[in-house]
PDB file of all heavy atoms in Angstrom:
ATOM      1  N   ASP A  14       0.104 -29.602 -13.058  1.00  0.00           N
ATOM      2  CA  ASP A  14       0.880 -30.198 -11.975  1.00  0.00           C
ATOM      3  C   ASP A  14       2.247 -29.517 -12.003  1.00  0.00           C
ATOM      4  O   ASP A  14       3.158 -29.956 -12.699  1.00  0.00           O
ATOM      5  CB  ASP A  14       1.009 -31.711 -12.170  1.00  0.00           C
ATOM      6  CG  ASP A  14       1.734 -32.372 -11.008  1.00  0.00           C
ATOM      7  OD1 ASP A  14       1.855 -31.749  -9.934  1.00  0.00           O
ATOM      8  OD2 ASP A  14       2.171 -33.516 -11.182  1.00  0.00           O
ATOM      9  N   VAL A  15       2.349 -28.410 -11.279  1.00  0.00           N
ATOM     10  CA  VAL A  15       3.535 -27.561 -11.328  1.00  0.00           C
ATOM     11  C   VAL A  15       4.353 -27.741 -10.059  1.00  0.00           C
ATOM     12  O   VAL A  15       3.809 -27.756  -8.961  1.00  0.00           O
ATOM     13  CB  VAL A  15       3.118 -26.081 -11.478  1.00  0.00           C
ATOM     14  CG1 VAL A  15       4.331 -25.169 -11.478  1.00  0.00           C
ATOM     15  CG2 VAL A  15       2.295 -25.890 -12.747  1.00  0.00           C
ATOM     16  N   ASP A  16       5.652 -27.874 -10.234  1.00  0.00           N
ATOM     17  CA  ASP A  16       6.577 -27.911  -9.101  1.00  0.00           C
ATOM     18  C   ASP A  16       7.184 -26.514  -8.974  1.00  0.00           C
ATOM     19  O   ASP A  16       8.152 -26.185  -9.675  1.00  0.00           O
ATOM     20  CB  ASP A  16       7.669 -28.955  -9.354  1.00  0.00           C
ATOM     21  CG  ASP A  16       8.788 -28.918  -8.320  1.00  0.00           C
ATOM     22  OD1 ASP A  16       8.552 -28.410  -7.199  1.00  0.00           O
ATOM     23  OD2 ASP A  16       9.893 -29.392  -8.639  1.00  0.00           O
ATOM     24  N   PRO A  17       6.599 -25.654  -8.107  1.00  0.00           N
ATOM     25  CA  PRO A  17       7.072 -24.273  -8.014  1.00  0.00           C
ATOM     26  C   PRO A  17       8.564 -24.143  -7.743  1.00  0.00           C
ATOM     27  O   PRO A  17       9.232 -23.292  -8.345  1.00  0.00           O
ATOM     28  CB  PRO A  17       6.252 -23.687  -6.862  1.00  0.00           C
ATOM     29  CG  PRO A  17       5.003 -24.504  -6.851  1.00  0.00           C
ATOM     30  CD  PRO A  17       5.457 -25.893  -7.228  1.00  0.00           C
ATOM     31  N   ALA A  18       9.109 -24.972  -6.883  1.00  0.00           N
ATOM     32  CA  ALA A  18      10.550 -24.889  -6.592  1.00  0.00           C
ATOM     33  C   ALA A  18      11.363 -25.173  -7.851  1.00  0.00           C
ATOM     34  O   ALA A  18      12.377 -24.504  -8.116  1.00  0.00           O
ATOM     35  CB  ALA A  18      10.924 -25.853  -5.474  1.00  0.00           C
ATOM     36  N   GLY A  19      10.921 -26.142  -8.630  1.00  0.00           N
ATOM     37  CA  GLY A  19      11.606 -26.459  -9.883  1.00  0.00           C
ATOM     38  C   GLY A  19      11.508 -25.317 -10.882  1.00  0.00           C
ATOM     39  O   GLY A  19      12.484 -24.974 -11.556  1.00  0.00           O
ATOM     40  N   VAL A  20      10.312 -24.715 -10.954  1.00  0.00           N
ATOM     41  CA  VAL A  20      10.117 -23.583 -11.860  1.00  0.00           C
ATOM     42  C   VAL A  20      11.050 -22.438 -11.466  1.00  0.00           C
ATOM     43  O   VAL A  20      11.739 -21.858 -12.307  1.00  0.00           O
ATOM     44  CB  VAL A  20       8.649 -23.105 -11.859  1.00  0.00           C
ATOM     45  CG1 VAL A  20       8.502 -21.784 -12.619  1.00  0.00           C
ATOM     46  CG2 VAL A  20       7.740 -24.160 -12.458  1.00  0.00           C
ATOM     47  N   TYR A  21      11.093 -22.103 -10.171  1.00  0.00           N
ATOM     48  CA  TYR A  21      11.923 -20.984  -9.738  1.00  0.00           C
ATOM     49  C   TYR A  21      13.412 -21.274  -9.927  1.00  0.00           C
ATOM     50  O   TYR A  21      14.190 -20.362 -10.211  1.00  0.00           O
ATOM     51  CB  TYR A  21      11.595 -20.591  -8.299  1.00  0.00           C
ATOM     52  CG  TYR A  21      10.202 -20.010  -8.186  1.00  0.00           C
ATOM     53  CD1 TYR A  21       9.313 -20.468  -7.233  1.00  0.00           C
ATOM     54  CD2 TYR A  21       9.764 -19.031  -9.066  1.00  0.00           C
ATOM     55  CE1 TYR A  21       8.022 -19.945  -7.152  1.00  0.00           C
ATOM     56  CE2 TYR A  21       8.489 -18.506  -8.999  1.00  0.00           C
ATOM     57  CZ  TYR A  21       7.625 -18.957  -8.037  1.00  0.00           C
ATOM     58  OH  TYR A  21       6.361 -18.450  -7.967  1.00  0.00           O
ATOM     59  N   SER A  22      13.811 -22.530  -9.806  1.00  0.00           N
ATOM     60  CA  SER A  22      15.200 -22.894 -10.062  1.00  0.00           C
ATOM     61  C   SER A  22      15.553 -22.656 -11.534  1.00  0.00           C
ATOM     62  O   SER A  22      16.589 -22.065 -11.848  1.00  0.00           O
ATOM     63  CB  SER A  22      15.439 -24.366  -9.694  1.00  0.00           C
ATOM     64  OG  SER A  22      16.739 -24.765 -10.074  1.00  0.00           O
ATOM     65  N   VAL A  23      14.664 -23.097 -12.420  1.00  0.00           N
ATOM     66  CA  VAL A  23      14.889 -22.897 -13.854  1.00  0.00           C
ATOM     67  C   VAL A  23      14.857 -21.408 -14.202  1.00  0.00           C
ATOM     68  O   VAL A  23      15.690 -20.923 -14.970  1.00  0.00           O
ATOM     69  CB  VAL A  23      13.852 -23.688 -14.690  1.00  0.00           C
ATOM     70  CG1 VAL A  23      13.915 -23.295 -16.158  1.00  0.00           C
ATOM     71  CG2 VAL A  23      14.075 -25.186 -14.530  1.00  0.00           C
ATOM     72  N   LEU A  24      13.898 -20.669 -13.626  1.00  0.00           N
ATOM     73  CA  LEU A  24      13.811 -19.237 -13.897  1.00  0.00           C
ATOM     74  C   LEU A  24      15.079 -18.505 -13.443  1.00  0.00           C
ATOM     75  O   LEU A  24      15.546 -17.587 -14.124  1.00  0.00           O
ATOM     76  CB  LEU A  24      12.588 -18.622 -13.216  1.00  0.00           C
ATOM     77  CG  LEU A  24      11.234 -18.946 -13.834  1.00  0.00           C
ATOM     78  CD1 LEU A  24      10.106 -18.343 -13.011  1.00  0.00           C
ATOM     79  CD2 LEU A  24      11.168 -18.469 -15.277  1.00  0.00           C
ATOM     80  N   SER A  25      15.623 -18.907 -12.316  1.00  0.00           N
ATOM     81  CA  SER A  25      16.843 -18.280 -11.820  1.00  0.00           C
ATOM     82  C   SER A  25      17.995 -18.505 -12.792  1.00  0.00           C
ATOM     83  O   SER A  25      18.726 -17.567 -13.143  1.00  0.00           O
ATOM     84  CB  SER A  25      17.195 -18.837 -10.442  1.00  0.00           C
ATOM     85  OG  SER A  25      18.426 -18.318  -9.997  1.00  0.00           O
ATOM     86  N   LYS A  26      18.156 -19.741 -13.239  1.00  0.00           N
ATOM     87  CA  LYS A  26      19.239 -20.058 -14.183  1.00  0.00           C
ATOM     88  C   LYS A  26      19.017 -19.369 -15.524  1.00  0.00           C
ATOM     89  O   LYS A  26      19.957 -18.830 -16.117  1.00  0.00           O
ATOM     90  CB  LYS A  26      19.342 -21.569 -14.376  1.00  0.00           C
ATOM     91  CG  LYS A  26      19.837 -22.285 -13.140  1.00  0.00           C
ATOM     92  CD  LYS A  26      19.796 -23.791 -13.311  1.00  0.00           C
ATOM     93  CE  LYS A  26      20.175 -24.475 -12.000  1.00  0.00           C
ATOM     94  NZ  LYS A  26      19.965 -25.923 -12.061  1.00  0.00           N
ATOM     95  N   ALA A  27      17.776 -19.375 -15.994  1.00  0.00           N
ATOM     96  CA  ALA A  27      17.472 -18.729 -17.271  1.00  0.00           C
ATOM     97  C   ALA A  27      17.655 -17.218 -17.165  1.00  0.00           C
ATOM     98  O   ALA A  27      18.121 -16.572 -18.112  1.00  0.00           O
ATOM     99  CB  ALA A  27      16.049 -19.066 -17.714  1.00  0.00           C
ATOM    100  N   GLY A  28      17.291 -16.638 -16.028  1.00  0.00           N
ATOM    101  CA  GLY A  28      17.477 -15.205 -15.823  1.00  0.00           C
ATOM    102  C   GLY A  28      18.945 -14.819 -15.852  1.00  0.00           C
ATOM    103  O   GLY A  28      19.316 -13.779 -16.423  1.00  0.00           O
ATOM    104  N   THR A  29      19.781 -15.641 -15.249  1.00  0.00           N
ATOM    105  CA  THR A  29      21.222 -15.389 -15.271  1.00  0.00           C
ATOM    106  C   THR A  29      21.754 -15.446 -16.702  1.00  0.00           C
ATOM    107  O   THR A  29      22.536 -14.584 -17.118  1.00  0.00           O
ATOM    108  CB  THR A  29      21.962 -16.419 -14.386  1.00  0.00           C
ATOM    109  OG1 THR A  29      21.494 -16.280 -13.037  1.00  0.00           O
ATOM    110  CG2 THR A  29      23.465 -16.231 -14.431  1.00  0.00           C
ATOM    111  N   ALA A  30      21.308 -16.440 -17.462  1.00  0.00           N
ATOM    112  CA  ALA A  30      21.735 -16.563 -18.861  1.00  0.00           C
ATOM    113  C   ALA A  30      21.215 -15.393 -19.691  1.00  0.00           C
ATOM    114  O   ALA A  30      21.939 -14.856 -20.543  1.00  0.00           O
ATOM    115  CB  ALA A  30      21.250 -17.887 -19.447  1.00  0.00           C
ATOM    116  N   ALA A  31      19.979 -14.959 -19.436  1.00  0.00           N
ATOM    117  CA  ALA A  31      19.401 -13.836 -20.177  1.00  0.00           C
ATOM    118  C   ALA A  31      20.163 -12.548 -19.882  1.00  0.00           C
ATOM    119  O   ALA A  31      20.394 -11.730 -20.778  1.00  0.00           O
ATOM    120  CB  ALA A  31      17.920 -13.673 -19.832  1.00  0.00           C
ATOM    121  N   LYS A  32      20.571 -12.356 -18.643  1.00  0.00           N
ATOM    122  CA  LYS A  32      21.349 -11.161 -18.267  1.00  0.00           C
ATOM    123  C   LYS A  32      22.684 -11.166 -18.999  1.00  0.00           C
ATOM    124  O   LYS A  32      23.121 -10.135 -19.528  1.00  0.00           O
ATOM    125  CB  LYS A  32      21.570 -11.150 -16.747  1.00  0.00           C
ATOM    126  CG  LYS A  32      22.537 -10.102 -16.247  1.00  0.00           C
ATOM    127  CD  LYS A  32      21.894  -8.746 -16.097  1.00  0.00           C
ATOM    128  CE  LYS A  32      22.763  -7.766 -15.346  1.00  0.00           C
ATOM    129  NZ  LYS A  32      23.708  -7.050 -16.177  1.00  0.00           N
ATOM    130  N   SER A  33      23.309 -12.322 -19.060  1.00  0.00           N
ATOM    131  CA  SER A  33      24.584 -12.440 -19.768  1.00  0.00           C
ATOM    132  C   SER A  33      24.386 -12.144 -21.256  1.00  0.00           C
ATOM    133  O   SER A  33      25.208 -11.443 -21.871  1.00  0.00           O
ATOM    134  CB  SER A  33      25.158 -13.848 -19.575  1.00  0.00           C
ATOM    135  OG  SER A  33      26.337 -14.007 -20.312  1.00  0.00           O
ATOM    136  N   MET A  34      23.299 -12.646 -21.833  1.00  0.00           N
ATOM    137  CA  MET A  34      23.000 -12.408 -23.243  1.00  0.00           C
ATOM    138  C   MET A  34      22.762 -10.914 -23.489  1.00  0.00           C
ATOM    139  O   MET A  34      23.237 -10.346 -24.462  1.00  0.00           O
ATOM    140  CB  MET A  34      21.778 -13.223 -23.662  1.00  0.00           C
ATOM    141  CG  MET A  34      21.434 -13.116 -25.123  1.00  0.00           C
ATOM    142  SD  MET A  34      20.119 -14.230 -25.654  1.00  0.00           S
ATOM    143  CE  MET A  34      18.718 -13.603 -24.746  1.00  0.00           C
ATOM    144  N   SER A  35      22.050 -10.264 -22.578  1.00  0.00           N
ATOM    145  CA  SER A  35      21.776  -8.837 -22.704  1.00  0.00           C
ATOM    146  C   SER A  35      23.064  -8.021 -22.624  1.00  0.00           C
ATOM    147  O   SER A  35      23.281  -7.091 -23.416  1.00  0.00           O
ATOM    148  CB  SER A  35      20.802  -8.398 -21.604  1.00  0.00           C
ATOM    149  OG  SER A  35      20.623  -7.009 -21.622  1.00  0.00           O
ATOM    150  N   ASP A  36      23.912  -8.367 -21.668  1.00  0.00           N
ATOM    151  CA  ASP A  36      25.197  -7.666 -21.527  1.00  0.00           C
ATOM    152  C   ASP A  36      26.049  -7.826 -22.785  1.00  0.00           C
ATOM    153  O   ASP A  36      26.688  -6.879 -23.244  1.00  0.00           O
ATOM    154  CB  ASP A  36      25.963  -8.183 -20.307  1.00  0.00           C
ATOM    155  CG  ASP A  36      25.301  -7.812 -18.992  1.00  0.00           C
ATOM    156  OD1 ASP A  36      24.390  -6.960 -18.983  1.00  0.00           O
ATOM    157  OD2 ASP A  36      25.678  -8.410 -17.956  1.00  0.00           O
ATOM    158  N   THR A  37      26.044  -9.023 -23.340  1.00  0.00           N
ATOM    159  CA  THR A  37      26.809  -9.294 -24.557  1.00  0.00           C
ATOM    160  C   THR A  37      26.267  -8.483 -25.727  1.00  0.00           C
ATOM    161  O   THR A  37      27.022  -7.913 -26.512  1.00  0.00           O
ATOM    162  CB  THR A  37      26.793 -10.797 -24.886  1.00  0.00           C
ATOM    163  OG1 THR A  37      27.376 -11.513 -23.799  1.00  0.00           O
ATOM    164  CG2 THR A  37      27.555 -11.103 -26.159  1.00  0.00           C
ATOM    165  N   GLY A  38      24.935  -8.426 -25.841  1.00  0.00           N
ATOM    166  CA  GLY A  38      24.322  -7.643 -26.914  1.00  0.00           C
ATOM    167  C   GLY A  38      24.651  -6.173 -26.807  1.00  0.00           C
ATOM    168  O   GLY A  38      24.942  -5.509 -27.818  1.00  0.00           O
ATOM    169  N   SER A  39      24.625  -5.642 -25.588  1.00  0.00           N
ATOM    170  CA  SER A  39      24.975  -4.231 -25.386  1.00  0.00           C
ATOM    171  C   SER A  39      26.430  -3.973 -25.751  1.00  0.00           C
ATOM    172  O   SER A  39      26.754  -2.966 -26.395  1.00  0.00           O
ATOM    173  CB  SER A  39      24.730  -3.829 -23.934  1.00  0.00           C
ATOM    174  OG  SER A  39      23.358  -3.892 -23.629  1.00  0.00           O
ATOM    175  N   ALA A  40      27.301  -4.866 -25.336  1.00  0.00           N
ATOM    176  CA  ALA A  40      28.727  -4.719 -25.665  1.00  0.00           C
ATOM    177  C   ALA A  40      28.937  -4.804 -27.173  1.00  0.00           C
ATOM    178  O   ALA A  40      29.721  -4.044 -27.741  1.00  0.00           O
ATOM    179  CB  ALA A  40      29.549  -5.788 -24.952  1.00  0.00           C
ATOM    180  N   MET A  41      28.210  -5.716 -27.828  1.00  0.00           N
ATOM    181  CA  MET A  41      28.353  -5.875 -29.272  1.00  0.00           C
ATOM    182  C   MET A  41      27.947  -4.592 -29.992  1.00  0.00           C
ATOM    183  O   MET A  41      28.615  -4.158 -30.927  1.00  0.00           O
ATOM    184  CB  MET A  41      27.519  -7.038 -29.781  1.00  0.00           C
ATOM    185  CG  MET A  41      27.685  -7.286 -31.274  1.00  0.00           C
ATOM    186  SD  MET A  41      26.587  -8.530 -31.931  1.00  0.00           S
ATOM    187  CE  MET A  41      25.080  -7.586 -32.079  1.00  0.00           C
ATOM    188  N   GLN A  42      26.867  -3.974 -29.542  1.00  0.00           N
ATOM    189  CA  GLN A  42      26.413  -2.739 -30.168  1.00  0.00           C
ATOM    190  C   GLN A  42      27.498  -1.660 -30.083  1.00  0.00           C
ATOM    191  O   GLN A  42      27.815  -1.003 -31.073  1.00  0.00           O
ATOM    192  CB  GLN A  42      25.128  -2.249 -29.511  1.00  0.00           C
ATOM    193  CG  GLN A  42      24.571  -1.003 -30.146  1.00  0.00           C
ATOM    194  CD  GLN A  42      23.280  -0.549 -29.484  1.00  0.00           C
ATOM    195  OE1 GLN A  42      22.836  -1.127 -28.504  1.00  0.00           O
ATOM    196  NE2 GLN A  42      22.690   0.492 -30.017  1.00  0.00           N
ATOM    197  N   GLY A  43      28.059  -1.507 -28.910  1.00  0.00           N
ATOM    198  CA  GLY A  43      29.140  -0.527 -28.746  1.00  0.00           C
ATOM    199  C   GLY A  43      30.362  -0.883 -29.566  1.00  0.00           C
ATOM    200  O   GLY A  43      30.994  -0.007 -30.172  1.00  0.00           O
ATOM    201  N   ASN A  44      30.691  -2.163 -29.613  1.00  0.00           N
ATOM    202  CA  ASN A  44      31.861  -2.600 -30.373  1.00  0.00           C
ATOM    203  C   ASN A  44      31.670  -2.386 -31.874  1.00  0.00           C
ATOM    204  O   ASN A  44      32.616  -2.037 -32.579  1.00  0.00           O
ATOM    205  CB  ASN A  44      32.172  -4.068 -30.091  1.00  0.00           C
ATOM    206  CG  ASN A  44      32.685  -4.294 -28.680  1.00  0.00           C
ATOM    207  OD1 ASN A  44      33.155  -3.371 -28.020  1.00  0.00           O
ATOM    208  ND2 ASN A  44      32.572  -5.514 -28.205  1.00  0.00           N
ATOM    209  N   LEU A  45      30.426  -2.615 -32.370  1.00  0.00           N
ATOM    210  CA  LEU A  45      30.163  -2.384 -33.790  1.00  0.00           C
ATOM    211  C   LEU A  45      30.336  -0.900 -34.135  1.00  0.00           C
ATOM    212  O   LEU A  45      30.915  -0.566 -35.168  1.00  0.00           O
ATOM    213  CB  LEU A  45      28.744  -2.838 -34.157  1.00  0.00           C
ATOM    214  CG  LEU A  45      28.542  -4.323 -34.382  1.00  0.00           C
ATOM    215  CD1 LEU A  45      27.061  -4.638 -34.600  1.00  0.00           C
ATOM    216  CD2 LEU A  45      29.358  -4.813 -35.568  1.00  0.00           C
ATOM    217  N   GLU A  46      29.835  -0.037 -33.258  1.00  0.00           N
ATOM    218  CA  GLU A  46      29.972   1.401 -33.500  1.00  0.00           C
ATOM    219  C   GLU A  46      31.448   1.814 -33.502  1.00  0.00           C
ATOM    220  O   GLU A  46      31.882   2.581 -34.364  1.00  0.00           O
ATOM    221  CB  GLU A  46      29.197   2.183 -32.443  1.00  0.00           C
ATOM    222  CG  GLU A  46      27.693   2.066 -32.598  1.00  0.00           C
ATOM    223  CD  GLU A  46      26.922   2.695 -31.448  1.00  0.00           C
ATOM    224  OE1 GLU A  46      27.539   3.391 -30.611  1.00  0.00           O
ATOM    225  OE2 GLU A  46      25.702   2.487 -31.398  1.00  0.00           O
ATOM    226  N   GLU A  47      32.210   1.310 -32.542  1.00  0.00           N
ATOM    227  CA  GLU A  47      33.640   1.628 -32.479  1.00  0.00           C
ATOM    228  C   GLU A  47      34.370   1.106 -33.715  1.00  0.00           C
ATOM    229  O   GLU A  47      35.206   1.806 -34.292  1.00  0.00           O
ATOM    230  CB  GLU A  47      34.262   1.022 -31.229  1.00  0.00           C
ATOM    231  CG  GLU A  47      33.954   1.757 -29.951  1.00  0.00           C
ATOM    232  CD  GLU A  47      34.632   1.107 -28.749  1.00  0.00           C
ATOM    233  OE1 GLU A  47      35.771   0.611 -28.888  1.00  0.00           O
ATOM    234  OE2 GLU A  47      34.012   1.100 -27.676  1.00  0.00           O
ATOM    235  N   ALA A  48      34.046  -0.124 -34.104  1.00  0.00           N
ATOM    236  CA  ALA A  48      34.716  -0.716 -35.260  1.00  0.00           C
ATOM    237  C   ALA A  48      34.376   0.052 -36.538  1.00  0.00           C
ATOM    238  O   ALA A  48      35.255   0.302 -37.370  1.00  0.00           O
ATOM    239  CB  ALA A  48      34.306  -2.187 -35.408  1.00  0.00           C
ATOM    240  N   ALA A  49      33.118   0.442 -36.682  1.00  0.00           N
ATOM    241  CA  ALA A  49      32.721   1.206 -37.875  1.00  0.00           C
ATOM    242  C   ALA A  49      33.448   2.543 -37.915  1.00  0.00           C
ATOM    243  O   ALA A  49      33.904   2.982 -38.978  1.00  0.00           O
ATOM    244  CB  ALA A  49      31.208   1.410 -37.881  1.00  0.00           C
ATOM    245  N   SER A  50      33.575   3.175 -36.771  1.00  0.00           N
ATOM    246  CA  SER A  50      34.265   4.462 -36.695  1.00  0.00           C
ATOM    247  C   SER A  50      35.758   4.305 -36.984  1.00  0.00           C
ATOM    248  O   SER A  50      36.359   5.122 -37.688  1.00  0.00           O
ATOM    249  CB  SER A  50      34.053   5.070 -35.309  1.00  0.00           C
ATOM    250  OG  SER A  50      34.778   6.251 -35.174  1.00  0.00           O
ATOM    251  N   ALA A  51      36.352   3.260 -36.455  1.00  0.00           N
ATOM    252  CA  ALA A  51      37.790   3.045 -36.621  1.00  0.00           C
ATOM    253  C   ALA A  51      38.154   2.542 -38.019  1.00  0.00           C
ATOM    254  O   ALA A  51      39.311   2.617 -38.420  1.00  0.00           O
ATOM    255  CB  ALA A  51      38.285   2.044 -35.578  1.00  0.00           C
ATOM    256  N   ALA A  52      37.163   2.064 -38.761  1.00  0.00           N
ATOM    257  CA  ALA A  52      37.439   1.505 -40.081  1.00  0.00           C
ATOM    258  C   ALA A  52      37.763   2.573 -41.114  1.00  0.00           C
ATOM    259  O   ALA A  52      38.217   2.261 -42.210  1.00  0.00           O
ATOM    260  CB  ALA A  52      36.246   0.676 -40.551  1.00  0.00           C
ATOM    261  N   GLY A  53      37.539   3.814 -40.782  1.00  0.00           N
ATOM    262  CA  GLY A  53      37.912   4.892 -41.689  1.00  0.00           C
ATOM    263  C   GLY A  53      36.764   5.348 -42.574  1.00  0.00           C
ATOM    264  O   GLY A  53      35.661   4.835 -42.520  1.00  0.00           O
ATOM    265  N   THR A  54      37.089   6.342 -43.400  1.00  0.00           N
ATOM    266  CA  THR A  54      36.081   6.942 -44.273  1.00  0.00           C
ATOM    267  C   THR A  54      36.598   6.971 -45.701  1.00  0.00           C
ATOM    268  O   THR A  54      37.787   6.778 -45.959  1.00  0.00           O
ATOM    269  CB  THR A  54      35.767   8.384 -43.826  1.00  0.00           C
ATOM    270  OG1 THR A  54      36.964   9.141 -43.859  1.00  0.00           O
ATOM    271  CG2 THR A  54      35.173   8.414 -42.429  1.00  0.00           C
ATOM    272  N   LEU A  55      35.690   7.227 -46.597  1.00  0.00           N
ATOM    273  CA  LEU A  55      36.051   7.445 -47.997  1.00  0.00           C
ATOM    274  C   LEU A  55      35.996   8.945 -48.241  1.00  0.00           C
ATOM    275  O   LEU A  55      35.048   9.614 -47.848  1.00  0.00           O
ATOM    276  CB  LEU A  55      35.057   6.749 -48.920  1.00  0.00           C
ATOM    277  CG  LEU A  55      34.990   5.227 -48.827  1.00  0.00           C
ATOM    278  CD1 LEU A  55      33.877   4.704 -49.719  1.00  0.00           C
ATOM    279  CD2 LEU A  55      36.309   4.611 -49.242  1.00  0.00           C
ATOM    280  N   THR A  56      37.001   9.477 -48.887  1.00  0.00           N
ATOM    281  CA  THR A  56      37.046  10.911 -49.170  1.00  0.00           C
ATOM    282  C   THR A  56      37.158  11.102 -50.672  1.00  0.00           C
ATOM    283  O   THR A  56      37.977  10.459 -51.334  1.00  0.00           O
ATOM    284  CB  THR A  56      38.260  11.566 -48.482  1.00  0.00           C
ATOM    285  OG1 THR A  56      38.189  11.293 -47.092  1.00  0.00           O
ATOM    286  CG2 THR A  56      38.276  13.067 -48.699  1.00  0.00           C
ATOM    287  N   SER A  57      36.350  11.986 -51.186  1.00  0.00           N
ATOM    288  CA  SER A  57      36.384  12.290 -52.616  1.00  0.00           C
ATOM    289  C   SER A  57      37.651  13.073 -52.926  1.00  0.00           C
ATOM    290  O   SER A  57      37.990  14.026 -52.226  1.00  0.00           O
ATOM    291  CB  SER A  57      35.151  13.104 -53.005  1.00  0.00           C
ATOM    292  OG  SER A  57      35.293  13.555 -54.343  1.00  0.00           O
ATOM    293  N   GLN A  58      38.329  12.700 -53.997  1.00  0.00           N
ATOM    294  CA  GLN A  58      39.544  13.414 -54.371  1.00  0.00           C
ATOM    295  C   GLN A  58      39.251  14.626 -55.244  1.00  0.00           C
ATOM    296  O   GLN A  58      40.136  15.400 -55.549  1.00  0.00           O
ATOM    297  CB  GLN A  58      40.502  12.477 -55.085  1.00  0.00           C
ATOM    298  CG  GLN A  58      39.998  11.991 -56.437  1.00  0.00           C
ATOM    299  CD  GLN A  58      40.951  10.985 -57.067  1.00  0.00           C
ATOM    300  OE1 GLN A  58      41.768  10.389 -56.386  1.00  0.00           O
ATOM    301  NE2 GLN A  58      40.838  10.801 -58.359  1.00  0.00           N
TER     302      GLN A  58
END
């Protein structure tokens, strides 16, 4: 007993949240790489 309009409403909201989560994950990946690079290196004396 499925209410298609209700399903599509939930899917729309969940899709928006999933897109936001994906964008955040992509930004985090780039930020981790930048932070690792900016943190410096160890050099043997």
